[in-house]
Amino acid sequence: MTEGKRLIIVLPSMMMIVVLLCTIFEGSLATSSVVFSLSGNAYPKGAYFVDIRIGNQAKPFELHVDTGSSLTWVKCVAPFESSTQPQEGLYKPPKQSIVQCQDPLCAAVQGKKYDCENPTDRCDYVFKYDDDSLAYGYLVKDHFHLRLFNGHATRAPLVFGCGYKQTGDFDGAGIFGLSRGSLGFLSQMHSQGLTQEVIGHCFNSRGGGFLYIGDDLVNPLEVSWTPITSTSNHGQDYGSEPVELLFDGSSTQVRGLQFVFDSGSGLSYLNQQPYQDTLDLISDALEGTPLIRTQPMTIFSICWKHNQNAIRSFDDVNNYFKSLTLNFTNVPNVKLNLPVQDYLTLVGGNVCLAILDCGPEDVENPNIIGGKRY
């Protein structure tokens, strides 16, 4: 196990993923945690959101929680718009908040080469997401109003993006970036000595849940540990070491998988061959049951219906589907169990497989555990 880089998998009544990125501070440095309530769900919303208060007026913004994003950004007033333009729901950065191109954090968003004519220019960025949507903006620094777990309130000065243009589908007021990069919310909070570099989210099966930054809610005696790796995204993502898929507790030919834990993805994905092998296991187990394949429903291509009755709850199908388990093979006895409600979803009186096929393309992150509990 690599010291200081570990992934915690715990299995309470709600699905929880906890990531510990560094060794706990030694000494007298007093840190705390921040706990956020979450709204949203995996389907049909497709995302989870947190309210963040920013600026002197502590204006709230609903941001999409995304462990796959390296930068928090908020929809804001375009720099070329006058102050008389409608600004409801948009962030308006103070003039003194603009981060200059010569700031080291600008290199974190632009790469090693600074895309500026002068070092005092603002630090612009363009992000392209997996669905080909684009987010344009520039870096600013302003206060985030946070209530710490120890009861204290803080106004943390953090760098984030003023997102003045987006193409594609962005729900909410922006992105809450929680990747491992230096611009991530977690890294900045830790660098200021406010929290330990620990992140966890807990998703309720009925939607919502909570997100926390810091280690106050982590009991090392009640969790299992496995190393994390950085498989892509310039070393900023949360990847697993090799995983074997167990079906109904038994070994399968689906092994050697490496997953990325990505709360920004509402669903989970498998590369084409592991996906087909998993589907074959499920289909074989359903032979002779009242469940039969039916037409695709919305984004879900694999669905089943009952040959007599509409499916209203998971209780109607629990006896037919078997559990899936991720067995982390490099660490003894560390498993993440996925009961029926964690890999299926109910749609229109049918039940559908909520794991999608990422296709035959050679993509960077083919196997993804999305931020969900169905």
PDB file of all heavy atoms in Angstrom, residues 222-258:
ATOM      1  N   GLU A 222     -13.962   1.088  11.295  1.00  0.00           N
ATOM      2  CA  GLU A 222     -15.215   0.641  10.688  1.00  0.00           C
ATOM      3  C   GLU A 222     -15.177   0.704   9.165  1.00  0.00           C
ATOM      4  O   GLU A 222     -16.212   0.676   8.517  1.00  0.00           O
ATOM      5  CB  GLU A 222     -16.375   1.489  11.209  1.00  0.00           C
ATOM      6  CG  GLU A 222     -16.612   1.328  12.709  1.00  0.00           C
ATOM      7  CD  GLU A 222     -17.784   2.152  13.208  1.00  0.00           C
ATOM      8  OE1 GLU A 222     -18.356   2.910  12.401  1.00  0.00           O
ATOM      9  OE2 GLU A 222     -18.119   2.051  14.403  1.00  0.00           O
ATOM     10  N   VAL A 223     -13.983   0.792   8.608  1.00  0.00           N
ATOM     11  CA  VAL A 223     -13.863   0.868   7.158  1.00  0.00           C
ATOM     12  C   VAL A 223     -12.833  -0.157   6.681  1.00  0.00           C
ATOM     13  O   VAL A 223     -12.043  -0.674   7.465  1.00  0.00           O
ATOM     14  CB  VAL A 223     -13.436   2.274   6.691  1.00  0.00           C
ATOM     15  CG1 VAL A 223     -14.473   3.314   7.057  1.00  0.00           C
ATOM     16  CG2 VAL A 223     -12.065   2.636   7.244  1.00  0.00           C
ATOM     17  N   SER A 224     -12.882  -0.442   5.384  1.00  0.00           N
ATOM     18  CA  SER A 224     -11.868  -1.261   4.739  1.00  0.00           C
ATOM     19  C   SER A 224     -11.042  -0.361   3.832  1.00  0.00           C
ATOM     20  O   SER A 224     -11.542   0.621   3.283  1.00  0.00           O
ATOM     21  CB  SER A 224     -12.520  -2.386   3.918  1.00  0.00           C
ATOM     22  OG  SER A 224     -13.266  -3.244   4.752  1.00  0.00           O
ATOM     23  N   TRP A 225      -9.773  -0.730   3.637  1.00  0.00           N
ATOM     24  CA  TRP A 225      -8.849   0.149   2.932  1.00  0.00           C
ATOM     25  C   TRP A 225      -8.287  -0.531   1.694  1.00  0.00           C
ATOM     26  O   TRP A 225      -7.997  -1.715   1.701  1.00  0.00           O
ATOM     27  CB  TRP A 225      -7.680   0.526   3.836  1.00  0.00           C
ATOM     28  CG  TRP A 225      -8.071   1.206   5.105  1.00  0.00           C
ATOM     29  CD1 TRP A 225      -8.574   0.623   6.233  1.00  0.00           C
ATOM     30  CD2 TRP A 225      -7.999   2.598   5.380  1.00  0.00           C
ATOM     31  NE1 TRP A 225      -8.809   1.569   7.197  1.00  0.00           N
ATOM     32  CE2 TRP A 225      -8.468   2.789   6.715  1.00  0.00           C
ATOM     33  CE3 TRP A 225      -7.580   3.706   4.650  1.00  0.00           C
ATOM     34  CZ2 TRP A 225      -8.523   4.047   7.300  1.00  0.00           C
ATOM     35  CZ3 TRP A 225      -7.633   4.949   5.245  1.00  0.00           C
ATOM     36  CH2 TRP A 225      -8.111   5.120   6.556  1.00  0.00           C
ATOM     37  N   THR A 226      -8.121   0.245   0.630  1.00  0.00           N
ATOM     38  CA  THR A 226      -7.446  -0.230  -0.574  1.00  0.00           C
ATOM     39  C   THR A 226      -6.737   0.946  -1.223  1.00  0.00           C
ATOM     40  O   THR A 226      -7.210   2.085  -1.117  1.00  0.00           O
ATOM     41  CB  THR A 226      -8.454  -0.874  -1.558  1.00  0.00           C
ATOM     42  OG1 THR A 226      -7.764  -1.394  -2.689  1.00  0.00           O
ATOM     43  CG2 THR A 226      -9.489   0.126  -2.012  1.00  0.00           C
ATOM     44  N   PRO A 227      -5.587   0.737  -1.862  1.00  0.00           N
ATOM     45  CA  PRO A 227      -4.859   1.856  -2.476  1.00  0.00           C
ATOM     46  C   PRO A 227      -5.661   2.492  -3.605  1.00  0.00           C
ATOM     47  O   PRO A 227      -6.475   1.846  -4.254  1.00  0.00           O
ATOM     48  CB  PRO A 227      -3.589   1.198  -3.019  1.00  0.00           C
ATOM     49  CG  PRO A 227      -3.445  -0.077  -2.262  1.00  0.00           C
ATOM     50  CD  PRO A 227      -4.851  -0.529  -1.959  1.00  0.00           C
ATOM     51  N   ILE A 228      -5.393   3.764  -3.851  1.00  0.00           N
ATOM     52  CA  ILE A 228      -5.917   4.431  -5.033  1.00  0.00           C
ATOM     53  C   ILE A 228      -4.751   4.712  -5.971  1.00  0.00           C
ATOM     54  O   ILE A 228      -3.587   4.766  -5.560  1.00  0.00           O
ATOM     55  CB  ILE A 228      -6.668   5.733  -4.716  1.00  0.00           C
ATOM     56  CG1 ILE A 228      -5.711   6.786  -4.150  1.00  0.00           C
ATOM     57  CG2 ILE A 228      -7.823   5.494  -3.790  1.00  0.00           C
ATOM     58  CD1 ILE A 228      -6.322   8.155  -4.061  1.00  0.00           C
ATOM     59  N   THR A 229      -5.073   4.861  -7.235  1.00  0.00           N
ATOM     60  CA  THR A 229      -4.066   5.191  -8.236  1.00  0.00           C
ATOM     61  C   THR A 229      -4.575   6.365  -9.063  1.00  0.00           C
ATOM     62  O   THR A 229      -5.759   6.696  -9.025  1.00  0.00           O
ATOM     63  CB  THR A 229      -3.793   3.996  -9.168  1.00  0.00           C
ATOM     64  OG1 THR A 229      -5.008   3.662  -9.865  1.00  0.00           O
ATOM     65  CG2 THR A 229      -3.317   2.791  -8.383  1.00  0.00           C
ATOM     66  N   SER A 230      -3.696   6.966  -9.808  1.00  0.00           N
ATOM     67  CA  SER A 230      -4.065   8.021 -10.755  1.00  0.00           C
ATOM     68  C   SER A 230      -3.872   7.460 -12.154  1.00  0.00           C
ATOM     69  O   SER A 230      -2.760   7.382 -12.650  1.00  0.00           O
ATOM     70  CB  SER A 230      -3.193   9.263 -10.555  1.00  0.00           C
ATOM     71  OG  SER A 230      -3.367   9.776  -9.254  1.00  0.00           O
ATOM     72  N   THR A 231      -4.960   7.038 -12.771  1.00  0.00           N
ATOM     73  CA  THR A 231      -4.858   6.359 -14.055  1.00  0.00           C
ATOM     74  C   THR A 231      -4.936   7.311 -15.237  1.00  0.00           C
ATOM     75  O   THR A 231      -4.570   6.949 -16.350  1.00  0.00           O
ATOM     76  CB  THR A 231      -5.976   5.317 -14.192  1.00  0.00           C
ATOM     77  OG1 THR A 231      -7.247   5.979 -14.107  1.00  0.00           O
ATOM     78  CG2 THR A 231      -5.887   4.292 -13.081  1.00  0.00           C
ATOM     79  N   SER A 232      -5.439   8.523 -15.017  1.00  0.00           N
ATOM     80  CA  SER A 232      -5.618   9.456 -16.140  1.00  0.00           C
ATOM     81  C   SER A 232      -5.866  10.846 -15.598  1.00  0.00           C
ATOM     82  O   SER A 232      -5.621  11.119 -14.432  1.00  0.00           O
ATOM     83  CB  SER A 232      -6.794   8.998 -17.013  1.00  0.00           C
ATOM     84  OG  SER A 232      -7.977   8.978 -16.252  1.00  0.00           O
ATOM     85  N   ASN A 233      -6.380  11.715 -16.446  1.00  0.00           N
ATOM     86  CA  ASN A 233      -6.728  13.090 -16.077  1.00  0.00           C
ATOM     87  C   ASN A 233      -5.529  13.791 -15.444  1.00  0.00           C
ATOM     88  O   ASN A 233      -5.661  14.496 -14.451  1.00  0.00           O
ATOM     89  CB  ASN A 233      -7.934  13.107 -15.115  1.00  0.00           C
ATOM     90  CG  ASN A 233      -8.521  14.489 -14.936  1.00  0.00           C
ATOM     91  OD1 ASN A 233      -8.358  15.356 -15.777  1.00  0.00           O
ATOM     92  ND2 ASN A 233      -9.207  14.684 -13.816  1.00  0.00           N
ATOM     93  N   HIS A 234      -4.342  13.559 -16.034  1.00  0.00           N
ATOM     94  CA  HIS A 234      -3.113  14.206 -15.564  1.00  0.00           C
ATOM     95  C   HIS A 234      -2.840  13.895 -14.088  1.00  0.00           C
ATOM     96  O   HIS A 234      -2.341  14.734 -13.340  1.00  0.00           O
ATOM     97  CB  HIS A 234      -3.193  15.716 -15.778  1.00  0.00           C
ATOM     98  CG  HIS A 234      -3.534  16.119 -17.172  1.00  0.00           C
ATOM     99  ND1 HIS A 234      -2.659  15.944 -18.233  1.00  0.00           N
ATOM    100  CD2 HIS A 234      -4.680  16.635 -17.709  1.00  0.00           C
ATOM    101  CE1 HIS A 234      -3.233  16.371 -19.344  1.00  0.00           C
ATOM    102  NE2 HIS A 234      -4.449  16.779 -19.067  1.00  0.00           N
ATOM    103  N   GLY A 235      -3.192  12.675 -13.692  1.00  0.00           N
ATOM    104  CA  GLY A 235      -2.916  12.245 -12.323  1.00  0.00           C
ATOM    105  C   GLY A 235      -3.855  12.802 -11.287  1.00  0.00           C
ATOM    106  O   GLY A 235      -3.558  12.743 -10.087  1.00  0.00           O
ATOM    107  N   GLN A 236      -5.017  13.331 -11.695  1.00  0.00           N
ATOM    108  CA  GLN A 236      -5.900  13.998 -10.749  1.00  0.00           C
ATOM    109  C   GLN A 236      -7.137  13.179 -10.387  1.00  0.00           C
ATOM    110  O   GLN A 236      -7.934  13.617  -9.558  1.00  0.00           O
ATOM    111  CB  GLN A 236      -6.347  15.351 -11.321  1.00  0.00           C
ATOM    112  CG  GLN A 236      -5.186  16.308 -11.548  1.00  0.00           C
ATOM    113  CD  GLN A 236      -5.643  17.672 -12.014  1.00  0.00           C
ATOM    114  OE1 GLN A 236      -6.719  18.129 -11.657  1.00  0.00           O
ATOM    115  NE2 GLN A 236      -4.838  18.330 -12.820  1.00  0.00           N
ATOM    116  N   ASP A 237      -7.343  12.013 -10.987  1.00  0.00           N
ATOM    117  CA  ASP A 237      -8.563  11.269 -10.706  1.00  0.00           C
ATOM    118  C   ASP A 237      -8.347  10.285  -9.563  1.00  0.00           C
ATOM    119  O   ASP A 237      -7.262  10.178  -8.992  1.00  0.00           O
ATOM    120  CB  ASP A 237      -9.083  10.566 -11.971  1.00  0.00           C
ATOM    121  CG  ASP A 237      -8.098   9.535 -12.507  1.00  0.00           C
ATOM    122  OD1 ASP A 237      -7.197   9.106 -11.755  1.00  0.00           O
ATOM    123  OD2 ASP A 237      -8.232   9.146 -13.677  1.00  0.00           O
ATOM    124  N   TYR A 238      -9.443   9.581  -9.207  1.00  0.00           N
ATOM    125  CA  TYR A 238      -9.428   8.597  -8.132  1.00  0.00           C
ATOM    126  C   TYR A 238      -9.629   7.216  -8.750  1.00  0.00           C
ATOM    127  O   TYR A 238     -10.755   6.824  -9.063  1.00  0.00           O
ATOM    128  CB  TYR A 238     -10.542   8.881  -7.122  1.00  0.00           C
ATOM    129  CG  TYR A 238     -10.488  10.278  -6.529  1.00  0.00           C
ATOM    130  CD1 TYR A 238     -11.306  11.295  -7.006  1.00  0.00           C
ATOM    131  CD2 TYR A 238      -9.610  10.577  -5.487  1.00  0.00           C
ATOM    132  CE1 TYR A 238     -11.259  12.567  -6.463  1.00  0.00           C
ATOM    133  CE2 TYR A 238      -9.554  11.847  -4.941  1.00  0.00           C
ATOM    134  CZ  TYR A 238     -10.386  12.841  -5.429  1.00  0.00           C
ATOM    135  OH  TYR A 238     -10.335  14.110  -4.896  1.00  0.00           O
ATOM    136  N   GLY A 239      -8.542   6.494  -8.958  1.00  0.00           N
ATOM    137  CA  GLY A 239      -8.613   5.199  -9.615  1.00  0.00           C
ATOM    138  C   GLY A 239      -8.376   4.063  -8.649  1.00  0.00           C
ATOM    139  O   GLY A 239      -7.709   4.215  -7.619  1.00  0.00           O
ATOM    140  N   SER A 240      -8.919   2.912  -8.997  1.00  0.00           N
ATOM    141  CA  SER A 240      -8.727   1.722  -8.180  1.00  0.00           C
ATOM    142  C   SER A 240      -7.596   0.879  -8.732  1.00  0.00           C
ATOM    143  O   SER A 240      -7.236   0.979  -9.910  1.00  0.00           O
ATOM    144  CB  SER A 240     -10.005   0.880  -8.155  1.00  0.00           C
ATOM    145  OG  SER A 240     -10.152   0.167  -9.384  1.00  0.00           O
ATOM    146  N   GLU A 241      -7.039   0.034  -7.881  1.00  0.00           N
ATOM    147  CA  GLU A 241      -6.156  -1.023  -8.349  1.00  0.00           C
ATOM    148  C   GLU A 241      -7.028  -2.141  -8.916  1.00  0.00           C
ATOM    149  O   GLU A 241      -8.264  -2.052  -8.898  1.00  0.00           O
ATOM    150  CB  GLU A 241      -5.258  -1.485  -7.204  1.00  0.00           C
ATOM    151  CG  GLU A 241      -4.225  -0.423  -6.815  1.00  0.00           C
ATOM    152  CD  GLU A 241      -3.039  -0.988  -6.097  1.00  0.00           C
ATOM    153  OE1 GLU A 241      -3.137  -2.090  -5.527  1.00  0.00           O
ATOM    154  OE2 GLU A 241      -1.982  -0.319  -6.106  1.00  0.00           O
ATOM    155  N   PRO A 242      -6.445  -3.214  -9.467  1.00  0.00           N
ATOM    156  CA  PRO A 242      -7.248  -4.227 -10.179  1.00  0.00           C
ATOM    157  C   PRO A 242      -8.401  -4.794  -9.358  1.00  0.00           C
ATOM    158  O   PRO A 242      -8.286  -5.048  -8.164  1.00  0.00           O
ATOM    159  CB  PRO A 242      -6.216  -5.311 -10.499  1.00  0.00           C
ATOM    160  CG  PRO A 242      -4.932  -4.569 -10.593  1.00  0.00           C
ATOM    161  CD  PRO A 242      -5.008  -3.493  -9.557  1.00  0.00           C
ATOM    162  N   VAL A 243      -9.520  -4.968 -10.068  1.00  0.00           N
ATOM    163  CA  VAL A 243     -10.759  -5.435  -9.460  1.00  0.00           C
ATOM    164  C   VAL A 243     -11.269  -6.662 -10.221  1.00  0.00           C
ATOM    165  O   VAL A 243     -11.219  -6.705 -11.456  1.00  0.00           O
ATOM    166  CB  VAL A 243     -11.834  -4.321  -9.496  1.00  0.00           C
ATOM    167  CG1 VAL A 243     -13.198  -4.849  -9.073  1.00  0.00           C
ATOM    168  CG2 VAL A 243     -11.417  -3.156  -8.605  1.00  0.00           C
ATOM    169  N   GLU A 244     -11.778  -7.633  -9.470  1.00  0.00           N
ATOM    170  CA  GLU A 244     -12.453  -8.783 -10.054  1.00  0.00           C
ATOM    171  C   GLU A 244     -13.935  -8.677  -9.747  1.00  0.00           C
ATOM    172  O   GLU A 244     -14.326  -8.305  -8.631  1.00  0.00           O
ATOM    173  CB  GLU A 244     -11.913 -10.085  -9.458  1.00  0.00           C
ATOM    174  CG  GLU A 244     -12.663 -11.333  -9.921  1.00  0.00           C
ATOM    175  CD  GLU A 244     -12.331 -12.557  -9.084  1.00  0.00           C
ATOM    176  OE1 GLU A 244     -11.707 -12.404  -8.010  1.00  0.00           O
ATOM    177  OE2 GLU A 244     -12.717 -13.667  -9.492  1.00  0.00           O
ATOM    178  N   LEU A 245     -14.775  -8.979 -10.738  1.00  0.00           N
ATOM    179  CA  LEU A 245     -16.214  -8.955 -10.532  1.00  0.00           C
ATOM    180  C   LEU A 245     -16.685 -10.310 -10.016  1.00  0.00           C
ATOM    181  O   LEU A 245     -16.404 -11.348 -10.618  1.00  0.00           O
ATOM    182  CB  LEU A 245     -16.941  -8.625 -11.832  1.00  0.00           C
ATOM    183  CG  LEU A 245     -18.470  -8.576 -11.742  1.00  0.00           C
ATOM    184  CD1 LEU A 245     -18.912  -7.365 -10.926  1.00  0.00           C
ATOM    185  CD2 LEU A 245     -19.093  -8.541 -13.129  1.00  0.00           C
ATOM    186  N   LEU A 246     -17.382 -10.287  -8.887  1.00  0.00           N
ATOM    187  CA  LEU A 246     -18.018 -11.492  -8.361  1.00  0.00           C
ATOM    188  C   LEU A 246     -19.505 -11.415  -8.667  1.00  0.00           C
ATOM    189  O   LEU A 246     -20.122 -10.355  -8.529  1.00  0.00           O
ATOM    190  CB  LEU A 246     -17.811 -11.611  -6.850  1.00  0.00           C
ATOM    191  CG  LEU A 246     -16.370 -11.552  -6.330  1.00  0.00           C
ATOM    192  CD1 LEU A 246     -16.357 -11.729  -4.814  1.00  0.00           C
ATOM    193  CD2 LEU A 246     -15.500 -12.587  -7.005  1.00  0.00           C
ATOM    194  N   PHE A 247     -20.080 -12.544  -9.084  1.00  0.00           N
ATOM    195  CA  PHE A 247     -21.513 -12.599  -9.373  1.00  0.00           C
ATOM    196  C   PHE A 247     -22.153 -13.579  -8.413  1.00  0.00           C
ATOM    197  O   PHE A 247     -21.793 -14.755  -8.371  1.00  0.00           O
ATOM    198  CB  PHE A 247     -21.741 -13.047 -10.827  1.00  0.00           C
ATOM    199  CG  PHE A 247     -23.186 -13.016 -11.249  1.00  0.00           C
ATOM    200  CD1 PHE A 247     -23.837 -11.817 -11.463  1.00  0.00           C
ATOM    201  CD2 PHE A 247     -23.898 -14.196 -11.430  1.00  0.00           C
ATOM    202  CE1 PHE A 247     -25.161 -11.777 -11.851  1.00  0.00           C
ATOM    203  CE2 PHE A 247     -25.214 -14.176 -11.817  1.00  0.00           C
ATOM    204  CZ  PHE A 247     -25.851 -12.964 -12.033  1.00  0.00           C
ATOM    205  N   ASP A 248     -23.074 -13.080  -7.599  1.00  0.00           N
ATOM    206  CA  ASP A 248     -23.703 -13.892  -6.551  1.00  0.00           C
ATOM    207  C   ASP A 248     -22.641 -14.513  -5.649  1.00  0.00           C
ATOM    208  O   ASP A 248     -22.757 -15.653  -5.209  1.00  0.00           O
ATOM    209  CB  ASP A 248     -24.587 -14.968  -7.165  1.00  0.00           C
ATOM    210  CG  ASP A 248     -25.562 -15.579  -6.150  1.00  0.00           C
ATOM    211  OD1 ASP A 248     -25.839 -14.918  -5.121  1.00  0.00           O
ATOM    212  OD2 ASP A 248     -26.021 -16.710  -6.380  1.00  0.00           O
ATOM    213  N   GLY A 249     -21.566 -13.762  -5.410  1.00  0.00           N
ATOM    214  CA  GLY A 249     -20.499 -14.204  -4.525  1.00  0.00           C
ATOM    215  C   GLY A 249     -19.457 -15.099  -5.154  1.00  0.00           C
ATOM    216  O   GLY A 249     -18.483 -15.470  -4.491  1.00  0.00           O
ATOM    217  N   SER A 250     -19.612 -15.441  -6.429  1.00  0.00           N
ATOM    218  CA  SER A 250     -18.688 -16.365  -7.092  1.00  0.00           C
ATOM    219  C   SER A 250     -17.809 -15.645  -8.098  1.00  0.00           C
ATOM    220  O   SER A 250     -18.213 -14.636  -8.689  1.00  0.00           O
ATOM    221  CB  SER A 250     -19.469 -17.482  -7.804  1.00  0.00           C
ATOM    222  OG  SER A 250     -20.240 -18.229  -6.880  1.00  0.00           O
ATOM    223  N   SER A 251     -16.598 -16.181  -8.307  1.00  0.00           N
ATOM    224  CA  SER A 251     -15.660 -15.594  -9.255  1.00  0.00           C
ATOM    225  C   SER A 251     -16.206 -15.666 -10.681  1.00  0.00           C
ATOM    226  O   SER A 251     -16.993 -16.554 -11.018  1.00  0.00           O
ATOM    227  CB  SER A 251     -14.316 -16.310  -9.183  1.00  0.00           C
ATOM    228  OG  SER A 251     -13.716 -16.125  -7.919  1.00  0.00           O
ATOM    229  N   THR A 252     -15.764 -14.735 -11.521  1.00  0.00           N
ATOM    230  CA  THR A 252     -16.172 -14.697 -12.927  1.00  0.00           C
ATOM    231  C   THR A 252     -14.930 -14.460 -13.781  1.00  0.00           C
ATOM    232  O   THR A 252     -13.822 -14.268 -13.264  1.00  0.00           O
ATOM    233  CB  THR A 252     -17.181 -13.564 -13.189  1.00  0.00           C
ATOM    234  OG1 THR A 252     -16.500 -12.297 -13.081  1.00  0.00           O
ATOM    235  CG2 THR A 252     -18.340 -13.602 -12.191  1.00  0.00           C
ATOM    236  N   GLN A 253     -15.131 -14.432 -15.090  1.00  0.00           N
ATOM    237  CA  GLN A 253     -14.024 -14.130 -15.997  1.00  0.00           C
ATOM    238  C   GLN A 253     -13.779 -12.635 -16.137  1.00  0.00           C
ATOM    239  O   GLN A 253     -12.842 -12.212 -16.820  1.00  0.00           O
ATOM    240  CB  GLN A 253     -14.315 -14.715 -17.373  1.00  0.00           C
ATOM    241  CG  GLN A 253     -15.557 -14.133 -18.060  1.00  0.00           C
ATOM    242  CD  GLN A 253     -15.823 -14.771 -19.410  1.00  0.00           C
ATOM    243  OE1 GLN A 253     -14.985 -15.499 -19.935  1.00  0.00           O
ATOM    244  NE2 GLN A 253     -16.989 -14.498 -19.970  1.00  0.00           N
ATOM    245  N   VAL A 254     -14.611 -11.833 -15.491  1.00  0.00           N
ATOM    246  CA  VAL A 254     -14.441 -10.380 -15.528  1.00  0.00           C
ATOM    247  C   VAL A 254     -13.459  -9.992 -14.432  1.00  0.00           C
ATOM    248  O   VAL A 254     -13.811  -9.921 -13.256  1.00  0.00           O
ATOM    249  CB  VAL A 254     -15.781  -9.653 -15.343  1.00  0.00           C
ATOM    250  CG1 VAL A 254     -15.596  -8.142 -15.484  1.00  0.00           C
ATOM    251  CG2 VAL A 254     -16.815 -10.145 -16.341  1.00  0.00           C
ATOM    252  N   ARG A 255     -12.229  -9.743 -14.794  1.00  0.00           N
ATOM    253  CA  ARG A 255     -11.188  -9.469 -13.805  1.00  0.00           C
ATOM    254  C   ARG A 255     -10.146  -8.524 -14.397  1.00  0.00           C
ATOM    255  O   ARG A 255     -10.116  -8.264 -15.592  1.00  0.00           O
ATOM    256  CB  ARG A 255     -10.534 -10.766 -13.351  1.00  0.00           C
ATOM    257  CG  ARG A 255      -9.898 -11.572 -14.479  1.00  0.00           C
ATOM    258  CD  ARG A 255      -9.493 -12.955 -13.983  1.00  0.00           C
ATOM    259  NE  ARG A 255     -10.671 -13.728 -13.566  1.00  0.00           N
ATOM    260  CZ  ARG A 255     -10.608 -14.967 -13.102  1.00  0.00           C
ATOM    261  NH1 ARG A 255      -9.443 -15.555 -12.950  1.00  0.00           N
ATOM    262  NH2 ARG A 255     -11.712 -15.609 -12.778  1.00  0.00           N
ATOM    263  N   GLY A 256      -9.294  -8.019 -13.523  1.00  0.00           N
ATOM    264  CA  GLY A 256      -8.263  -7.089 -13.971  1.00  0.00           C
ATOM    265  C   GLY A 256      -8.784  -5.715 -14.341  1.00  0.00           C
ATOM    266  O   GLY A 256      -8.090  -4.949 -15.014  1.00  0.00           O
ATOM    267  N   LEU A 257     -10.006  -5.367 -13.893  1.00  0.00           N
ATOM    268  CA  LEU A 257     -10.575  -4.062 -14.207  1.00  0.00           C
ATOM    269  C   LEU A 257      -9.963  -2.983 -13.317  1.00  0.00           C
ATOM    270  O   LEU A 257      -9.636  -3.222 -12.163  1.00  0.00           O
ATOM    271  CB  LEU A 257     -12.092  -4.072 -13.997  1.00  0.00           C
ATOM    272  CG  LEU A 257     -12.903  -5.096 -14.787  1.00  0.00           C
ATOM    273  CD1 LEU A 257     -14.368  -4.989 -14.402  1.00  0.00           C
ATOM    274  CD2 LEU A 257     -12.721  -4.895 -16.279  1.00  0.00           C
ATOM    275  N   GLN A 258      -9.819  -1.800 -13.860  1.00  0.00           N
ATOM    276  CA  GLN A 258      -9.435  -0.639 -13.075  1.00  0.00           C
ATOM    277  C   GLN A 258     -10.524   0.419 -13.228  1.00  0.00           C
ATOM    278  O   GLN A 258     -10.855   0.825 -14.339  1.00  0.00           O
ATOM    279  CB  GLN A 258      -8.076  -0.091 -13.512  1.00  0.00           C
ATOM    280  CG  GLN A 258      -6.919  -0.977 -13.092  1.00  0.00           C
ATOM    281  CD  GLN A 258      -5.578  -0.355 -13.402  1.00  0.00           C
ATOM    282  OE1 GLN A 258      -5.189  -0.243 -14.560  1.00  0.00           O
ATOM    283  NE2 GLN A 258      -4.866   0.052 -12.368  1.00  0.00           N
TER     284      GLN A 258
END
